[in-house]
């Protein structure tokens, strides 16, 4: 009972904890560098806090070690345990090795081998359990009790929060001039809580802006509701911030001390990864680029000039294979590429007229075709999927209108998720044999048996009429499936989707599907 009535820690309490945090046995003071190219383009000074340069390529070792070093000799002798799919796991393993303690790390079975190997290389004992972080977390709690270990929470712990807060201490020491805002990516909230506590205690005039993915915004939703909100599903592109429920203590601190929350999308983060690479020649993970994406969005929406913003590059642990997807989406995220579906008459000379029009578009001398997909049809019209470089943001609707004025009906697909992920690779796939076809996008876990589970739940009279998959080097896969479902079976099909349990979006009425794939 006494524990439940404990007085919440104050801003002053956290300031003391941050100032006395033990992190530099394993962490280094990372540079705060100006992003010269991005600053010039934004007409604002953008500073990059290079936490991607830590030995485990993430800030997480700060909080993990500060927690471990507070434990008693008896607790360290018995060992520690955590649940993590990546960066926190490496921080705990490194800290435990430094202190001579046993570290057990429970990771989901879907964790990429790269991350498993990294934890083992640091001396951690890896237990693979369950399909998600939640499964691994529950198993870790069971093993904690069973083996007498001490649980090290990835974010919802005052010592962990204080360790992450040392990043803000370094930023303010490294840059003592004007600083308008610090942008911080949010998963469970440990980083933003520590940063906000230090900044608001020392320089409260600096704005602290939390950043979340638009499909994993548990903290932003919680702040609006003034209580913690648990998400049913979270997007997995930024796996480092894919948290369904933020911490109780991190929410309390963020709700009180974070000035604003913004959300960014996948394309914007891909473009930000490219921006960071241009300025640093380093590649950060999606979570590491979220703060940069938010600064760009913030400047565009508010039209600021001459201000100074800091972005925390919080991590760089990413499978190399994901770069293909990121590079593909970065141009669209920066709105340097427009994707269009253009209808042209299937007659002699029309293709030539279409190509000539591309050269005559506004800015045509510098414009180039980035993608062109076409297949002849038996009808009187052909549908072309074309990508064009753009000179400025928001130009794609104007291009579509220009084509239409010259007799080529056009649809702007620049922000159409189905077109960007799948249609561009499947143009020309019409067939009259695909009657009663329903088209769905799924997110499958990348593990043996995932597809078998899907197929085993399908009724024998439902036929797969389309299947498209591209491996992106992540712990999930994006799948496009066409299934022939007779109308009387629609209710049973909905039950199938609910039973399957994989995130899905139906695209049967998507205009891109109707133009390029549907007979």
């Amino acid at each position: 009972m006494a524990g439940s009535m404990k007085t919440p820690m104050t801003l002053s309490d956290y300031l003391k904890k941050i100032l006395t945090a033990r992190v530099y046995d394993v962490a280094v003071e990372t540079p705060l560098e100006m992003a010269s190219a991005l600053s010039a383009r934004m007409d604002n000074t953008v500073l990059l806090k290079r936490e991607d340069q830590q030995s485990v390529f993430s800030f997480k070792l700060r909080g993990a070690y500060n927690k471990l070093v507070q434990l008693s000799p008896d607790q360290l002798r018995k060992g520690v345990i955590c649940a993590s799919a990546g960066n926190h796991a490496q921080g705990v393993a490194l800290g435990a090795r430094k202190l001579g303690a046993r570290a057990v790390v429970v990771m989901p079975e879907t964790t990429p081998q790269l991350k498993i190997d990294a934890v083992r290389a640091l001396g951690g004992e890896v237990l693979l359990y369950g399909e998600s972080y939640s499964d691994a977390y529950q198993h870790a709690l069971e093993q904690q009790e069973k083996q007498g270990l001490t649980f090290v929470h990835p974010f919802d712990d005052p010592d962990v929060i204080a360790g992450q807060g040392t990043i803000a201490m370094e930023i303010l020491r490294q840059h003592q001039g004007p600083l308008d805002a610090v942008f911080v990516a949010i998963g469970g909230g440990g980083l933003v809580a520590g940063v906000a506590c230090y900044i608001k205690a020392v320089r409260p005039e600096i704005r602290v802006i939390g950043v979340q993915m638009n499909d994993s915004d548990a903290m932003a939703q919680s702040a609006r509701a003034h209580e913690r909100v648990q998400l049913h599903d979270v997007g997995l592109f930024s796996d480092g911030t894919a948290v369904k429920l933020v911490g109780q203590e991190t929410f309390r601190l963020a709700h009180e001390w974070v000035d604003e929350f913004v959300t960014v999308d996948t394309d914007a983060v891909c473009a930000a990864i490219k921006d960071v690479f241009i300025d640093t020649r380093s590649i950060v993970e999606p979570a590491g680029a979220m703060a940069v994406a938010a600064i760009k969005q913030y400047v565009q929406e508010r039209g600021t000039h001459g201000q100074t913003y800091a972005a925390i590059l919080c991590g760089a642990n990413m499978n190399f294979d994901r770069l293909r997807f990121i590079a593909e989406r970065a141009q669209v995220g920066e709105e340097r590429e427009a994707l269009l579906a253009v209808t042209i008459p299937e007659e002699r000379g029309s293709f030539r007229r279409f190509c000539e029009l591309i050269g005559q578009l506004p800015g045509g001398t510098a414009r180039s075709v980035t993608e062109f997909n076409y297949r002849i049809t038996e009808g009187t019209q052909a549908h072309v999927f074309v990508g064009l470089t753009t000179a400025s943001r928001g130009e794609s609707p104007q291009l579509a209108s220009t084509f239409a004025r010259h007799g080529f009906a056009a649809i702007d697909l620049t922000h159409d998720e189905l077109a960007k992920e799948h249609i561009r690779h499947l143009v020309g796939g019409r067939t009259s044999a695909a009657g009663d076809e329903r088209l769905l996008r799924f997110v499958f876990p990348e593990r043996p048996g995932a597809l078998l589970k899907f197929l085993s739940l399908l009724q024998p009279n439902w036929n797969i009429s389309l299947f498209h998959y591209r491996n992106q080097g992540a712990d999930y896969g994006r799948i496009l499936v066409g299934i022939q479902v007779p109308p009387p079976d629609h209710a049973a099909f909905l039950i199938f989707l609910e039973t399957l349990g994989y995130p899905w979006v139906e695209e049967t009425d998507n205009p891109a599907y109707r133009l390029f794939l549907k007979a």
Side-chain angles (χ1 to χ4, degrees), residues 156-434:
D156 204 26
D157 182 289
D159 292 319
V160 172
I161 292 169
Q164 322 303 27
T166 58
I167 296 173
M169 180 176 67
E170 292 176 11
I171 290 174
L172 298 192
R173 184 169 63 240
Q174 293 167 323
H175 180 81
Q176 298 180 5
L179 182 59
D180 295 284
V182 176
F183 290 75
V184 190
I186 299 177
L191 177 59
V192 78
V195 168
C197 283
Y198 188 85
I199 287 177
K200 292 306 176 182
V202 177
R203 291 186 58 185
E205 78 280 3
I206 298 174
R207 292 178 65 77
V208 177
I209 300 179
V211 186
Q212 295 204 278
M213 295 297 295
N214 59 358
D215 55 5
S216 304
D217 60 342
M219 185 68 84
Q221 288 196 35
S222 299
R224 288 194 296 270
H226 305 293
E227 62 180 4
R228 287 195 297 164
V229 172
Q230 181 161 351
L231 304 183
H232 185 264
D233 289 303
V234 290
L236 298 176
F237 172 66
S238 176
D239 53 355
T241 57
V243 174
K244 294 181 181 180
L245 180 66
V246 300
Q248 186 171 339
E249 178 68 353
T250 58
F251 167 69
R252 180 182 75 86
L253 296 171
H255 190 224
E256 186 169 2
W257 301 114
V258 175
D259 296 285
E260 185 177 350
F261 298 92
V262 299
T263 59
V264 293
D265 62 23
T266 296
D267 289 345
V269 172
C270 289
I273 292 173
K274 180 180 177 182
D275 290 316
V276 173
F277 175 79
I278 290 172
D279 264 310
T280 68
R281 296 301 187 270
S282 297
I283 298 172
V284 295
E285 65 185 271
M290 283 168 56
V292 172
I295 289 176
K296 293 168 62 182
Q297 182 175 293
Y298 189 87
V299 170
Q300 182 190 2
E301 291 176 352
R302 304 183 188 221
T304 64
H305 299 277
Q307 298 209 327
T308 301
Y309 304 121
I312 298 175
L313 306 187
C314 56
N317 285 299
M318 178 169 62
N319 284 11
F320 182 81
D321 293 343
R322 299 189 77 185
L323 294 177
R324 176 176 58 188
F325 171 81
I326 290 166
E328 192 173 79
R329 299 291 286 265
Q331 289 291 91
V332 177
E334 190 62 26
E335 294 197 34
R336 295 174 181 169
E337 180 187 30
L339 301 179
L340 303 166
V342 183
T343 300
I344 65 176
E346 193 69 88
E347 61 186 26
R348 288 182 181 274
S350 61
F351 180 62
R352 179 177 177 178
R353 287 194 296 113
F354 172 70
C355 292
E356 289 174 345
L357 177 58
I358 291 177
Q360 297 166 7
L361 291 170
T365 54
R367 196 182 305 283
S368 61
V369 176
T370 57
E371 188 162 355
F372 197 99
N373 296 317
Y374 160 78
R375 185 178 181 184
I376 194 168
T377 66
E378 297 175 356
T380 60
Q381 294 180 323
H383 302 296
V384 176
F385 187 102
V386 61
L388 298 171
T389 57
T390 55
S392 60
R393 283 182 172 271
E395 194 177 357
S396 55
Q398 301 169 20
L399 295 177
S401 299
T402 301
F403 280 120
R405 286 199 303 273
H406 288 79
F408 299 108
I411 298 177
D412 179 12
L413 301 177
T414 305
H415 303 290
D416 188 300
E417 199 67 20
L418 175 66
K420 290 184 290 188
E421 282 189 17
H422 299 289
I423 294 297
R424 68 197 307 173
H425 308 292
L426 295 171
V427 170
R430 291 178 184 276
T431 172
S432 58

